[in-house]
Amino acid sequence: MSMKKSLIGVSTAGFIVLQILLPTITEASTTVKSNIITHYVNASDPYPGHVIKYGDRGPEVRKVQNQLNKNNVPISVDGIFGSITLKKVKEFQMRRHLNTDGIVGPSTWTALYQTEFPYPGHVIKIGDRGIYVTRIQARLNDAGGSIKVDGIFGLKTQVKVKEFQKKFGLQVDGIVGPETWDILFNYQE
């Protein structure tokens, strides 16, 4: 009889603990899902249904300017699509191999929100190791390379980076800086 009472007591205690922890577990799960969505899914504001171009003003221009900043094309966010915004949109379009017309239509809008692997904020070069090198190696293989994905930036990785840089008209230095990263992770064949 005491074993039965003990089992019921332990079951009740477990149920109470589960009730206490369930909201925390659910919140943590939501946070993790939220972080995954933020960093690995092309989350975006829906396309407004019309082009955004030179002379426009307002919140849609601000969105474009904010997304340019997130894509390593620095610009002041003022909501005015003037000559500087025009120049920066063209720069972005050129990097992504889009029609370089300076007009934000559906293709440019979508590309602005494709930041699956944001630039880590530092160059990655020979001798480096880790997840960024692994991502670079995998992406180089997607682009036609055939190197071992081991997370070690060695001579073979450097050669493939140089080949990629040459193919896309970048400075051929074998170092993955913001421009090389941007094209490597965001170009579409």
Side-chain angles (χ1 to χ4, degrees):
M1 189 87 160
S2 68
M3 186 168 201
K4 190 175 187 181
K5 285 182 181 178
S6 294
L7 187 58
I8 290 172
V10 169
S11 295
T12 304
F15 181 72
I16 291 169
V17 168
L18 183 60
Q19 285 181 321
I20 293 168
L21 290 178
L22 192 58
T24 306
I25 292 168
T26 305
E27 184 179 309
S29 173
T30 303
T31 302
V32 168
K33 286 178 186 171
S34 169
N35 287 342
I36 290 169
I37 290 169
T38 300
H39 297 294
Y40 298 110
V41 175
N42 297 329
S44 70
D45 285 323
Y47 178 66
H50 57 86
V51 297
I52 301 159
K53 61 190 182 324
Y54 183 80
D56 288 349
R57 293 173 174 256
E60 291 169 348
V61 176
R62 284 184 185 282
K63 288 178 184 179
V64 169
Q65 292 167 333
N66 280 319
Q67 289 307 118
L68 285 168
N69 282 317
K70 289 179 182 178
N71 282 279
N72 300 312
V73 182
I75 185 170
S76 295
V77 179
D78 61 6
I80 301 168
F81 201 128
S83 59
I84 294 172
T85 302
L86 178 66
K87 178 183 171 189
K88 296 294 184 167
V89 168
K90 285 182 177 181
E91 179 183 331
F92 172 78
Q93 290 170 326
M94 187 178 69
R95 284 185 186 182
R96 294 293 179 92
H97 303 281
L98 298 166
N99 184 19
T100 311
D101 58 8
I103 297 171
V104 181
S107 296
T108 300
W109 182 274
T110 300
L112 280 166
Y113 281 92
Q114 288 180 335
T115 55
E116 188 170 348
F117 294 114
Y119 180 65
H122 58 85
V123 298
I124 297 128
K125 61 192 178 326
I126 197 158
D128 289 345
R129 295 172 177 254
I131 188 67
Y132 295 121
V133 177
T134 302
R135 288 179 178 167
I136 289 166
Q137 290 169 328
R139 191 64 178 132
L140 287 168
N141 284 343
D142 291 343
S146 57
I147 54 175
K148 183 177 179 181
V149 179
D150 60 6
I152 302 168
F153 200 125
L155 288 173
K156 290 180 182 178
T157 301
Q158 185 184 47
V159 167
K160 291 300 176 185
V161 168
K162 286 181 177 181
E163 288 174 7
F164 181 84
Q165 290 170 327
K166 184 176 181 182
K167 177 180 177 181
F168 285 93
L170 299 166
Q171 179 181 345
V172 181
D173 57 9
I175 296 171
V176 181
E179 286 186 80
T180 301
W181 181 279
D182 187 48
I183 292 176
L184 182 63
F185 284 99
N186 296 300
Y187 86 98
Q188 298 171 358
E189 287 194 61

